[in-house]
């Protein structure tokens, strides 16, 4: 596998991760009935036994308990008077966003360096 393909895979994975983070942040303050609460998601990439290859990427739910709030007047309140919000750690999401952005930029730099080297070879 060449450096262009590896960089493309890396950028694609980081783009997926950034999309999931954006989705998590967008749902952070949503309210739902108990049992219908949004669960934060993350991209998990497994390692491959082959060199210069990745395994499979899967979207998995982050296992956290929702935040219950007593608000019996809310239209989505349960019979007990509770509503639920996702338990999304915004600091954790921002850290993951920064890491994914830096990884995307690193893959883009590798792609651009490979492109420049290929252009230099063709000019000679």
């Amino acid at each position: 596998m060449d450096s262009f393909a590896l960089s493309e895979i890396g950028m694609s994975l980081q783009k997926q991760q950034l999309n999931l983070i954006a989705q998590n942040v967008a749902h952070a303050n949503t309210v739902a009935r108990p049992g219908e609460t949004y669960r934060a998601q993350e991209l998990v990439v497994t390692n491959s036994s082959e060199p210069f290859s990745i395994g499979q990427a899967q979207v998995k739910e982050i296992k956290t308990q929702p935040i219950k709030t007593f608000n019996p007047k809310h239209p989505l309140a349960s019979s007990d008077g509770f509503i639920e919000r996702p338990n999304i750690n915004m600091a954790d999401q921002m850290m993951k966003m920064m890491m994914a952005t830096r990884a995307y930029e690193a893959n883009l730099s590798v792609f651009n360096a490979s492109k420049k080297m290929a252009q230099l070879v063709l000019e000679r």
Side-chain angles (χ1 to χ4, degrees):
M1 186 175 289
D2 64 8
S3 60
F4 291 109
L6 284 173
S7 297
E8 189 272 328
I9 290 169
M11 287 187 288
S12 176
L13 288 172
Q14 296 312 319
K15 182 180 174 188
Q16 282 181 276
Q17 179 74 335
L18 286 168
N19 286 336
L20 289 173
I21 292 166
Q23 186 174 324
N24 292 342
V25 170
H27 284 89
N29 291 317
T30 58
V31 177
R33 288 184 171 90
E36 298 176 4
T37 309
Y38 174 81
R39 301 277 184 179
Q41 300 176 347
E42 65 183 343
L43 189 67
V44 178
V45 181
T46 58
N47 290 330
S48 173
S49 58
E50 298 177 33
F52 302 108
S53 172
I54 62 164
Q56 293 196 345
Q58 295 178 333
V59 176
K60 293 195 176 182
E61 285 185 352
I62 300 173
K63 304 289 184 192
T64 57
Q65 292 298 316
I67 299 169
K68 290 186 178 186
T69 306
F70 184 71
N71 188 350
K73 295 183 180 181
H74 195 282
L76 296 177
S78 67
S79 58
D80 297 341
F82 285 95
I83 56 173
E84 290 184 353
R85 287 186 306 113
N87 190 359
I88 297 175
N89 184 336
M90 293 299 282
D92 184 51
Q93 294 297 310
M94 292 299 116
M95 181 192 68
K96 287 180 180 180
M97 181 186 66
M98 289 173 35
M99 289 172 50
T101 301
R102 298 294 182 253
Y104 184 92
E105 290 170 350
N107 280 294
L108 183 60
S109 293
V110 170
F111 183 87
N112 287 333
S114 298
K115 184 172 83 172
K116 188 171 184 175
M117 286 189 296
Q119 286 174 336
L120 288 172
V121 168
L122 291 173
E123 290 174 0
R124 294 185 187 244

